[in-house]
């Protein structure tokens, strides 16, 4: 294995709760336990430049920041199901979405 990829080895990623491997495992578990995530309906919401926000009929929301800067959303309701980085926060309706991150929220 090339030295620059040593931190991506499965035995290393399994020990890191914030690794991509564990993020992927968590997402599969959530999808399996939430049938609404497999529904056909997706509604794209108006959003900010460099951000994506869509909803599903069951109250599921996905917010994604494709920029290199922090994006803040106001009046966000719900509970975080999954976040791509620990720096994502949702407090008092204010969602802070760091650069290049994604969050799943159940309203």
């Amino acid at each position: 294995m090339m030295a620059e990829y040593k931190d991506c080895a499965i035995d290393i990623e399994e020990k890191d709760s914030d690794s991509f491997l564990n993020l992927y495992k968590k997402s599969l578990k959530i999808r399996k336990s939430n049938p609404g995530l497999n529904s056909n309906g997706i509604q794209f919401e108006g959003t900010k430049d460099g951000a994506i926000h869509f909803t599903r009929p069951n109250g599921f929301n996905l917010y994604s920041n494709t920029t290199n800067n922090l994006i803040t959303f106001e009046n966000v309701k719900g509970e975080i199901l999954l976040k791509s980085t620990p720096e994502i926060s949702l407090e008092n309706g204010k969602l802070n979405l760091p650069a290049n991150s994604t969050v799943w929220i159940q309203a």
Side-chain angles (χ1 to χ4, degrees):
M1 175 188 313
M2 296 172 54
E4 61 263 23
Y5 295 112
K6 68 178 173 45
D7 292 337
C8 297
I10 194 165
D11 58 328
I12 302 296
E13 290 233 336
E14 284 180 327
K15 296 174 189 172
D16 179 3
S17 64
D18 294 324
S19 72
F20 186 79
L21 174 65
N22 284 313
L23 174 70
Y24 192 72
K25 286 180 177 182
K26 289 176 200 171
S27 71
L28 292 176
K29 186 177 180 179
I30 292 168
R31 283 190 60 148
K32 190 174 187 178
S33 68
N34 190 334
L37 293 179
N38 299 315
S39 69
N40 293 331
I42 292 178
Q43 175 69 41
F44 284 91
E45 305 294 336
T47 189
K48 304 175 180 197
D49 286 344
I52 298 167
H53 174 209
F54 71 78
T55 61
R56 289 195 179 250
N58 70 334
F60 174 83
N61 288 265
L62 177 138
Y63 291 86
S64 189
N65 178 355
T66 64
T67 73
N68 292 322
N69 302 303
L70 172 74
I71 295 179
T72 300
F73 293 90
E74 302 289 341
N75 302 314
V76 176
K77 294 177 176 66
E79 172 188 350
I80 292 177
L81 298 175
L82 184 72
K83 52 187 177 177
S84 64
T85 179
E87 290 80 22
I88 293 171
S89 65
L90 175 58
E91 295 179 17
N92 300 317
K94 183 177 177 181
L95 174 63
N96 289 311
L97 203 54
N100 303 304
S101 63
T102 298
V103 64
W104 293 3
I105 296 175
Q106 182 66 52

